[in-house]
């Protein structure tokens, strides 16, 4: 840190498996490492944050079950906890990841406090909070209001900035701060992981990691895998952040049971990423696709559709291969070409790793968040 006083930052995110929570957790961990004080506020401890330490603390939001409520309410107890933590720890900034309902709760928390105790509110949009909920008549106006009232808005890609401006008619400046990833050291060797998976020497390990939500288009992932030839040249290892059972029938129907290996709710993704030869994604929409970056950090090139913010993460023919969305034949051909050419695969993987370190590492991204926090803290409120 540059001689300036450390900041006190509250972070709210979804604690479950998902890119926004992973990013928010890594941000908090890195801020604490850099000497700032970080307070996570959520209904559960985010799964990747370390145990509480001198500069990192988790504050759970307790939700009671009231018979009158048909739908349990989270926004109000969250806002009360945010206000409490802001007041007790004199927070400079409340940084919320994923607008719904976090940004609205932060504004409410801010307005519950006297002016001298009000933190600045920074809202980071991650994707479907703009592209899905932003279009929803039941959420759009509330999101727009929360963004208009935040002290700063950031998006994780240029693509998402444009979408937010267009869909939500936001005219004020939006800062683009790309996602970053800090790879942890694998706990097992590449050989141990391949052994666990029962991979033959002749089989390329193709990895897919996601929360399996509808935009990930697991149907297309499986279809593309079924079109890869020779069919015994690879195994598709799916690190599923959710129950894979709903996709089992499709795996059987496509006759690829012997090609697909699923591991659910894996925490040590690094073990598998270091062992992978390439990664495959078939999403219909991604504002960034953190998983491509995670793979890149382990010199693993990706094949992915040219949608949303993916072209900002993956440079086609340099760090992997972009393909048209939904074209499973083109996807299978791109994968086949990489399987058949280990030297090219390696070159793309190395370039992906270098680019990740240059553009999407903590060293590259953290100073951007610190500068943003200092900017909003220095600005007088309009
Ligand atoms: O929008 C979602 O599907 C959930 C969200 C999440 O919390 O995982 O994903 C979004 O945020 C990630 C982290 O910034 C991005 O890498 C994902 O591309 C983005 N997903 C979409 O835009 C669909």
């Amino acid at each position: 840190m540059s001689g300036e006083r450390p900041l006190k930052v509250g972070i709210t995110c979804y604690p479950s498996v998902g890119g926004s929570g992973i990013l928010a957790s890594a941000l908090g961990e890195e801020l604490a490492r850099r000497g700032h004080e970080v307070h996570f506020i959520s209904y559960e401890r985010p799964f990747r944050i370390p145990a509480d330490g001198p500069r990192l603390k988790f504050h759970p939001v307790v939700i009671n079950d009231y018979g009158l409520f048909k739908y349990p309410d989270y926004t109000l107890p969250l806002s009360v906890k945010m206000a409490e933590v802001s007041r007790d720890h004199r927070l400079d900034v409340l940084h919320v990841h994923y607008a719904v309902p976090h940004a609205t709760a932060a504004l409410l928390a801010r307005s519950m406090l006297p002016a001298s105790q009000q933190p600045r509110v920074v809202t980071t949009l991650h994707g479907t909070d703009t592209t899905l909920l932003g279009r929803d008549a039941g959420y759009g106006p509330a999101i727009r209001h929360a963004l208009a009232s935040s002290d700063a808005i950031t998006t994780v890609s240029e693509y998402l900035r444009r979408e937010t401006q267009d869909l939500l008619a936001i005219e004020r400046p939006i800062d683009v701060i790309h996602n970053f990833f800090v790879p942890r050291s694998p706990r097992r060797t590449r050989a141990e992981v391949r052994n666990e998976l029962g991979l033959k020497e002749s089989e390329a390990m193709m990895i897919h990691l996601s929360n399996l939500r509808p935009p990930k288009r697991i149907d297309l992932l499986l279809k593309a895998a079924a079109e890869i030839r020779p069919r015994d040249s690879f195994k598709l290892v799916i690190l599923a952040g959710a129950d894979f059972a709903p996709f089992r029938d499709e795996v059987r129907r496509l006759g690829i049971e012997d090609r697909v290996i699923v591991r659910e709710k894996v925490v040590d993704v690094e073990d598998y990423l270091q062992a992978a030869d390439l990664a495959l994604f078939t999403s219909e929409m991604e504002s960034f696709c953190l998983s491509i970056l995670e793979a890149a950090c382990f010199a693993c090139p990706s094949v992915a559709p040219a949608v949303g913010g993916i072209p900002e993460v993956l440079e086609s023919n340099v760090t992997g291969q972009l393909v048209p969305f939904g074209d499973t034949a083109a996807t299978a051909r791109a994968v086949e070409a990489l399987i058949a050419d280990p030297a090219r695969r390696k070159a793309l993987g190395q370039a992906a790793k270098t680019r990740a370190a240059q553009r999407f590492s903590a060293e590259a991204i953290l100073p951007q968040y610190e500068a943003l926090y200092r900017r909003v803290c220095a600005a007088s409120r309009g």
Side-chain angles (χ1 to χ4, degrees):
M1 219 168 8
S2 60
E4 288 171 289
R5 81 167 172 88
L7 294 163
K8 296 184 178 192
V9 183
I11 293 184
T12 289
C13 63
Y14 284 106
S16 48
V17 180
S20 57
I22 291 171
L23 189 276
S25 302
L27 175 61
E29 212 180 323
E30 287 300 316
L31 286 169
R33 190 169 294 147
R34 287 167 170 254
H36 303 293
E37 188 179 304
V38 178
H39 296 266
F40 281 95
I41 307 162
S42 188
Y43 60 87
E44 246 171 42
R45 190 179 187 89
F47 78 111
R48 283 201 190 176
I49 63 167
D52 283 4
R55 289 191 302 276
L56 190 150
K57 190 163 165 40
F58 168 62
H59 305 266
V61 178
V62 178
I63 306 157
N64 290 322
D65 187 10
Y66 291 107
L68 178 66
F69 292 173
K70 183 169 174 194
Y71 305 104
D73 170 61
Y74 177 51
T75 312
L76 293 181
L78 173 62
S79 66
V80 168
K81 182 57 78 176
M82 284 170 154
E84 199 179 291
V85 175
S86 300
R87 183 199 57 215
D88 294 351
H89 297 273
R90 297 275 183 223
L91 295 189
D92 296 298
V93 174
L94 266 176
H95 187 176
V96 297
H97 291 262
Y98 205 89
V100 182
H102 305 147
T104 303
L107 298 182
L108 194 52
R110 189 176 71 185
S111 61
M112 280 184 225
L113 294 166
S116 62
Q117 293 175 13
Q118 290 181 354
R120 300 300 200 243
V121 173
V122 174
T123 300
T124 290
L125 297 165
H126 281 269
T128 48
D129 37 6
T130 287
T131 57
L132 182 68
L133 300 179
R135 290 177 209 270
D136 184 328
Y139 284 95
I143 298 173
R144 199 170 181 283
H145 171 261
L147 295 181
S149 313
S150 296
D151 293 287
I153 310 166
T154 82
T155 58
V156 298
S157 61
E158 286 289 349
Y159 157 80
L160 191 57
R161 166 160 61 186
R162 287 193 301 274
E163 283 295 291
T164 304
Q165 281 164 337
D166 293 352
L167 272 170
L168 292 161
I170 301 291
E171 280 158 19
R172 54 183 298 205
I174 295 177
D175 290 85
V176 176
I177 304 184
H178 283 119
N179 284 335
F180 70 98
F181 183 66
V182 182
R184 296 189 180 165
S185 299
R187 291 176 204 267
R188 293 181 288 160
T189 64
R190 178 182 164 90
E192 281 170 332
V193 174
R194 288 184 69 98
N195 198 31
E196 174 226 300
L197 296 167
L199 296 181
K200 295 188 192 133
E201 207 41 57
S202 58
E203 288 172 332
M205 175 175 163
M206 182 164 74
I207 199 165
H208 171 86
L209 54 160
S210 76
N211 48 32
L212 311 182
R213 288 192 197 123
K216 308 295 173 191
R217 296 302 299 266
I218 301 304
D219 56 332
L220 296 176
L221 177 82
L222 298 174
K223 189 162 182 280
E227 291 178 29
I228 295 169
R229 297 292 177 272
R231 70 182 303 287
D232 61 356
S233 60
F234 75 100
K235 285 270 173 67
L236 170 61
V237 177
I238 299 178
L239 302 188
D243 183 10
F244 190 75
F247 304 99
R248 289 278 176 204
D249 278 351
E250 188 62 0
V251 171
R252 267 190 294 277
R253 195 186 68 73
L254 291 164
I256 50 172
E257 298 105 305
D258 63 337
R259 296 294 105 202
V260 176
I261 302 171
V262 178
R263 294 286 182 271
E264 282 178 7
K265 308 220 168 119
V266 171
V267 176
D268 295 325
V269 292
E270 288 85 356
D271 286 12
Y272 294 90
L273 287 169
Q274 56 139 1
D277 296 303
L278 72 154
L280 179 61
F281 303 93
T282 46
S283 307
E284 64 187 25
M285 188 41 64
E286 290 288 352
S287 60
F288 185 91
C289 199
L290 196 57
S291 301
I292 293 178
L293 176 58
E294 291 178 315
C297 289
F298 287 90
C300 174
S302 293
V303 173
V307 297
I310 287 182
E312 294 171 51
V313 189
L314 192 168
E315 201 178 336
S316 202
N317 286 313
V318 177
T319 68
Q321 189 73 53
L322 291 175
V323 290
F325 165 70
D327 189 339
T328 52
T331 304
R333 298 301 85 78
V335 168
E336 287 166 3
L338 284 183
I339 291 176
D341 191 345
R344 177 159 178 265
R345 213 164 65 208
K346 207 165 171 195
L348 294 178
Q350 278 309 326
K353 188 173 175 179
T354 304
R355 192 164 182 272
Q358 284 167 350
R359 299 193 185 196
F360 307 123
S361 60
E363 291 68 32
I365 300 299
L366 259 287
Q368 298 180 42
Y369 277 119
E370 289 173 303
L372 177 87
Y373 296 155
R374 295 209 188 272
R375 191 183 85 209
V376 294
C377 287
S380 57
R381 246 193 213 117

